[in-house]
Every structure is written in structure tokens, then in C-alpha cells.
Coordinates of all heavy atoms in Angstrom, one line a residue:
E1 N 0.8 -1.2 0.0 CA 0.0 0.0 0.0 C 0.9 1.3 0.0 O 0.6 2.2 -0.7 CB -0.9 0.0 1.2 CG -2.0 -1.1 1.2 CD -3.0 -1.0 0.1 OE1 -3.4 0.2 -0.3 OE2 -3.3 -2.0 -0.5
L2 N 2.0 1.2 0.7 CA 2.9 2.4 0.8 C 3.5 2.7 -0.6 O 3.6 3.8 -1.0 CB 4.0 2.1 1.8 CG 4.9 3.3 2.1 CD1 4.1 4.5 2.5 CD2 5.9 2.9 3.2
I3 N 3.8 1.6 -1.3 CA 4.3 1.8 -2.7 C 3.3 2.4 -3.6 O 3.5 3.3 -4.3 CB 4.8 0.4 -3.2 CG1 6.1 0.0 -2.5 CG2 5.1 0.5 -4.7 CD1 6.5 -1.5 -2.8
S4 N 2.0 1.9 -3.5 CA 1.0 2.5 -4.3 C 0.7 3.9 -3.9 O 0.4 4.8 -4.8 CB -0.3 1.6 -4.1 OG -1.3 2.1 -4.9
I5 N 0.7 4.3 -2.6 CA 0.5 5.7 -2.2 C 1.6 6.5 -2.8 O 1.3 7.7 -3.3 CB 0.5 5.8 -0.7 CG1 -0.8 5.1 -0.1 CG2 0.6 7.2 -0.2 CD1 -0.7 4.9 1.4
T6 N 2.8 6.1 -2.8 CA 4.0 6.8 -3.3 C 3.8 7.0 -4.9 O 4.0 8.1 -5.4 CB 5.3 6.1 -3.0 OG1 5.4 5.9 -1.6 CG2 6.5 6.9 -3.5
E7 N 3.3 5.9 -5.5 CA 3.1 6.1 -7.0 C 2.0 7.1 -7.2 O 2.1 7.9 -8.2 CB 2.6 4.7 -7.6 CG 3.7 3.7 -7.6 CD 3.2 2.3 -8.1 OE1 1.9 2.1 -7.9 OE2 3.9 1.5 -8.5
N8 N 0.9 7.1 -6.4 CA -0.1 8.1 -6.6 C 0.4 9.5 -6.4 O 0.0 10.4 -7.1 CB -1.3 7.8 -5.7 CG -2.1 6.6 -6.1 OD1 -2.0 6.1 -7.2 ND2 -2.8 6.0 -5.1
A9 N 1.3 9.7 -5.4 CA 1.9 11.0 -5.2 C 2.7 11.4 -6.4 O 2.6 12.6 -6.8 CB 2.8 11.0 -3.9
G10 N 3.4 10.5 -7.0 CA 4.2 10.8 -8.2 C 3.2 11.2 -9.4 O 3.5 12.2 -10.1
L11 N 2.1 10.5 -9.5 CA 1.2 10.8 -10.6 C 0.5 12.2 -10.4 O 0.0 12.8 -11.3 CB 0.1 9.7 -10.7 CG 0.6 8.4 -11.2 CD1 -0.4 7.3 -11.1 CD2 1.1 8.5 -12.7
M12 N 0.5 12.6 -9.1 CA -0.1 14.0 -8.8 C 0.9 15.1 -9.1 O 0.6 16.2 -9.0 CB -0.5 14.0 -7.3 CG -1.7 13.2 -7.0 SD -2.0 13.4 -5.2 CE -3.2 12.2 -4.9
G13 N 2.1 14.7 -9.4 CA 3.2 15.7 -9.7 C 4.0 16.0 -8.5 O 4.9 17.0 -8.6
I14 N 3.9 15.3 -7.4 CA 4.8 15.6 -6.3 C 6.2 15.0 -6.6 O 6.3 13.8 -7.0 CB 4.2 14.9 -5.0 CG1 2.9 15.6 -4.7 CG2 5.2 15.0 -3.9 CD1 2.1 14.9 -3.6
P15 N 7.2 15.8 -6.5 CA 8.5 15.3 -6.9 C 9.0 14.3 -5.9 O 8.9 14.5 -4.7 CB 9.4 16.6 -6.8 CG 8.7 17.6 -6.1 CD 7.2 17.2 -6.2
L16 N 9.4 13.1 -6.4 CA 9.9 12.0 -5.6 C 11.4 11.9 -5.7 O 11.9 12.1 -6.8 CB 9.2 10.7 -6.0 CG 7.7 10.7 -5.8 CD1 7.1 9.4 -6.4 CD2 7.3 10.8 -4.4
P17 N 12.1 11.5 -4.6 CA 13.5 11.3 -4.8 C 13.8 10.2 -5.8 O 13.1 9.2 -5.9 CB 13.9 10.9 -3.3 CG 12.8 11.3 -2.5 CD 11.6 11.3 -3.3
G18 N 14.9 10.3 -6.5 CA 15.3 9.3 -7.5 C 15.4 7.9 -7.0 O 15.0 7.0 -7.6
V19 N 15.9 7.8 -5.8 CA 16.1 6.5 -5.1 C 14.8 5.8 -4.9 O 14.6 4.6 -5.2 CB 16.9 6.7 -3.8 CG1 16.9 5.4 -3.0 CG2 18.3 7.2 -4.0
L20 N 13.8 6.6 -4.5 CA 12.5 6.0 -4.3 C 11.8 5.6 -5.6 O 11.3 4.5 -5.7 CB 11.6 7.1 -3.6 CG 10.3 6.6 -2.9 CD1 10.6 5.5 -1.9 CD2 9.7 7.8 -2.2
T21 N 12.0 6.4 -6.6 CA 11.4 6.0 -7.9 C 12.1 4.8 -8.5 O 11.4 3.9 -9.0 CB 11.6 7.2 -8.9 OG1 11.1 8.4 -8.3 CG2 10.9 6.9 -10.2
K22 N 13.4 4.7 -8.4 CA 14.1 3.5 -8.8 C 13.7 2.2 -8.0 O 13.5 1.2 -8.6 CB 15.6 3.7 -8.8 CG 16.1 4.6 -9.8 CD 17.6 4.8 -9.7 CE 18.1 5.9 -10.6 NZ 19.5 6.2 -10.5
A23 N 13.5 2.4 -6.7 CA 13.1 1.2 -5.9 C 11.7 0.7 -6.3 O 11.5 -0.5 -6.4 CB 13.1 1.6 -4.4
I24 N 10.8 1.6 -6.6 CA 9.5 1.3 -7.0 C 9.5 0.6 -8.4 O 8.9 -0.5 -8.6 CB 8.5 2.5 -7.1 CG1 8.2 3.0 -5.6 CG2 7.2 2.2 -7.8 CD1 7.5 4.3 -5.6
D25 N 10.3 1.1 -9.3 CA 10.5 0.4 -10.6 C 11.0 -1.0 -10.5 O 10.6 -1.9 -11.2 CB 11.4 1.3 -11.5 CG 10.7 2.5 -12.0 OD1 9.5 2.6 -11.9 OD2 11.5 3.5 -12.4

């Protein structure tokens, strides 16, 4: 759920740290 919440934040345009984006990928 935390990963999905983070993805939703990214889709809203909230800048995410690169490390977090890579970990989700």
C-alpha cells in the first residue's frame, strides 16, 4: 500500500527522490 501511495503521489506531480522512484520500478 505504501508503494501504491507513493506512486499516486508521483502521478499527482509531487517530486519524488530518484532513489524512491528506482526502488518502485
Side-chain angles (χ1 to χ4, degrees):
E1 294 296 321
L2 187 57
I3 290 168
S4 183
I5 292 166
T6 306
E7 288 174 340
N8 288 342
L11 291 170
M12 288 180 192
I14 296 172
L16 299 173
V19 172
L20 195 54
T21 306
K22 287 179 185 176
I24 290 171
D25 288 341

